[in-house]
Amino acid sequence: MTVRPDFALQLQLERTCEEAVDSQVKNAVTAAIEHMLGGSGRSRRGGRALTGLIAAARAAAAGKEEWHVVRLLQDSLDYAEGRILKPVFEELYRLFQDGARNETNRHFLARTIWAASDFVIRAGVEYLAEHPEAGADEVLRHVEALGRDAALLEAPEDRPGRYRILRGRAEMAVWVERVLRNRIDVEDPDVAAQRIVSSPKALSVLASDPEGEVLLQALQLQRRSAGLAALRRLAENPDASERDLHKALRGQHWIFGGQFVSEATHRRLVPGDELDIPLIRGDGALHVVELKRAAGLRGSLVKQHRNAWVPTAEVHDAVAQAVNYLVGLDEHRERIRRDLGIETRRASALVLIGHPVAQPDVPEEEINEALRTLNTHLNRVEVLTYKDLIDNAERSLAVHGAA
């Protein structure tokens, strides 16, 4: 529980202390005030200690039958624990402060009512312009539907300060709510439905409902597309670190191909080695993904040697690191399989390194060809640039989207 030890509560307690008659009650209220003001600098202290002191002061006032003080302290406790809203608290006890009503709240409420009325009028005028034969009932139903959709409005990232009401979203929420209410046991179907239509992640609860399957697949594609776009931006950013790239790839094993069914929970399988992304293939075997920097790679990906482009030491060092991981996994395969249930005997590795934008003087085709040539001579390790990985994932996403 978050306790609110602000200036309004301080004023309330100070005036309550003045209202108290018995010295024991005054001392109890003073103890709560002193606790609030005992914070470092200009901050006030709250927490369970504060609410406990207010409750103790309330008990002391009740023991002395100072019921007026008991009511004041109960309001203070309710406000501190969030059961009374700040505007209501300040308005109720404005005489304890400066005696003037809060004109800001009044103006805010007036502007809100005016804005709501203006919205309704404009919506009705626009609807009648498109449907001149509509009656009053139809206009009211249209405005009512707009109001329901407004509860689920969006804030487009590409238009700061602007908001968007998607027509029909409230109807979608009603449909989802009925699915949840009639077919899936949840605590509050209405709240869950609004959360689902506002958050694609929450749509996983529809996986067991046949009618929600198409919607779920569409939103899964949308979520994957957004994650891939974010990864591409990071990969092309020379300031992005390995940690940034790791964060963008976490939980998105689909990007590496359909042969991977999950991401292993444990990353430290061998003493001294911590894997960047441990993937599990469909046959249960481990696949290690070793991450290096993308556009921010300190060295180059390829160099010219005897009229041909060949991988640099940066690439070979990363491959050697991946090979060392595989050797360690082979040496500890019995323990890993026994303790974690992961098969490492057939483990393979992928090295993600660099991006063509980091070496603009070399054609992208030459970079890819040099890495493909290297891959043909490697057994259990593959080398890819981030761009190559992302392009492959986008093509896969396009195929699924078309399907």
Side-chain angles (χ1 to χ4, degrees):
M1 180 192 307
T2 301
V3 178
R4 180 166 46 187
D6 59 10
F7 184 58
L9 180 61
Q10 177 186 335
L11 288 176
Q12 168 77 351
L13 290 175
E14 289 174 351
R15 293 304 301 269
T16 301
C17 188
E18 295 175 7
E19 295 286 326
V21 177
D22 188 87
S23 60
Q24 183 180 348
V25 179
K26 285 182 176 290
N27 292 337
V29 178
T30 300
I33 297 172
E34 290 177 348
H35 172 81
M36 282 186 63
L37 300 180
S40 58
R42 304 176 67 180
S43 61
R44 298 179 182 86
R45 287 193 300 174
R48 293 182 179 273
L50 176 60
T51 55
L53 289 170
I54 297 176
R58 180 189 58 187
K64 300 300 181 179
E65 297 186 352
E66 296 189 22
W67 303 116
H68 176 57
V69 175
V70 170
R71 182 176 64 81
L72 294 175
L73 289 171
Q74 182 61 54
D75 286 348
S76 298
L77 189 62
D78 288 340
Y79 174 72
E81 294 180 343
R83 289 187 292 272
I84 295 181
L85 298 176
K86 184 180 179 68
V88 176
F89 186 74
E90 291 181 336
E91 183 69 13
L92 284 173
Y93 293 103
R94 60 188 176 86
L95 296 179
F96 274 23
Q97 298 178 32
D98 59 7
R101 299 201 71 160
N102 191 326
E103 292 298 312
T104 301
N105 289 345
R106 185 178 67 83
H107 290 311
F108 174 77
L109 184 60
R111 287 195 301 270
T112 301
I113 296 174
W114 173 84
S117 301
D118 183 66
F119 173 78
V120 170
I121 293 171
R122 287 190 295 107
V125 170
E126 291 175 3
Y127 185 79
L128 287 174
E130 297 176 2
H131 307 83
E133 73 288 351
D137 289 342
E138 293 176 84
V139 175
L140 290 176
R141 282 197 298 269
H142 171 72
V143 173
E144 182 184 10
L146 272 178
R148 290 195 301 266
D149 289 332
L152 301 167
L153 61 80
E154 290 183 349
E157 293 184 2
D158 58 338
R159 302 184 68 191
R162 303 288 295 180
Y163 300 91
R164 177 172 58 202
I165 297 177
L166 297 181
R167 294 304 315 279
R169 174 164 280 192
E171 291 186 13
M172 175 68 72
V174 171
W175 172 74
V176 173
E177 182 268 334
R178 288 175 180 171
V179 171
L180 296 177
R181 186 180 299 279
N182 298 326
R183 306 186 187 186
I184 303 174
D185 294 329
V186 294
E187 292 183 1
D188 192 333
D190 182 61
V191 173
Q194 293 197 29
R195 185 178 67 251
I196 286 169
V197 297
S198 300
S199 171
K201 291 182 179 180
L203 278 161
S204 59
V205 300
L206 290 177
S208 61
D209 185 81
E211 296 181 24
E213 184 177 357
V214 174
L215 179 62
L216 177 62
Q217 291 174 352
L219 286 165
Q220 183 186 53
L221 290 173
Q222 183 183 28
R223 186 171 64 251
R224 288 183 173 182
S225 178
L228 201 58
L231 176 61
R232 183 181 290 279
R233 288 193 296 271
L234 272 177
E236 295 174 353
N237 181 4
D239 296 325
S241 64
E242 292 177 20
R243 184 176 181 180
D244 296 329
L245 294 163
H246 187 195
K247 186 176 179 181
L249 283 165
R250 190 181 304 145
Q252 299 203 76
H253 63 270
W254 70 271
I255 290 178
F256 299 96
Q259 70 269 35
F260 303 109
V261 296
S262 66
E263 184 175 334
T265 304
H266 300 277
R267 295 172 56 195
R268 194 177 292 275
L269 304 179
V270 176
D273 290 342
E274 184 170 354
L275 309 178
D276 287 338
I277 301 180
L279 301 176
I280 305 298
R281 296 202 303 259
D283 61 358
L286 183 71
H287 184 76
V288 178
V289 179
E290 175 61 23
L291 302 180
K292 298 300 179 184
R293 292 173 70 99
L297 190 67
R298 291 183 176 84
S300 57
L301 273 172
V302 296
K303 64 180 180 180
Q304 202 157 24
H305 179 70
R306 294 184 179 179
N307 298 323
W309 291 102
V310 298
T312 63
E314 294 273 354
V315 177
H316 289 292
D317 288 347
V319 171
Q321 184 178 354
V323 170
N324 287 337
Y325 286 157
L326 296 178
V327 171
L329 292 169
D330 286 342
E331 293 174 349
H332 295 82
R333 61 180 180 271
E334 296 296 337
R335 177 187 58 79
I336 295 172
R337 182 172 54 192
R338 181 184 66 250
D339 296 344
L340 303 176
I342 298 175
E343 177 58 64
T344 63
R345 188 171 187 176
R346 303 184 305 278
S348 54
L350 169 67
V351 174
L352 272 180
I353 184 170
H355 194 288
V357 299
Q359 204 169 353
D361 55 323
V362 182
E364 183 179 335
E365 295 78 9
E366 296 290 349
I367 295 176
N368 292 337
E369 184 62 29
L371 296 182
R372 278 194 291 267
T373 302
L374 174 65
N375 288 332
T376 58
H377 293 80
L378 298 175
N379 187 10
R380 297 165 64 185
V381 180
E382 181 185 11
V383 181
L384 280 180
T385 66
Y386 282 86
K387 185 177 187 302
D388 209 5
L389 174 77
I390 295 169
D391 288 346
N392 292 341
E394 279 193 343
R395 283 191 287 269
S396 172
L397 203 62
V399 171
H400 284 84

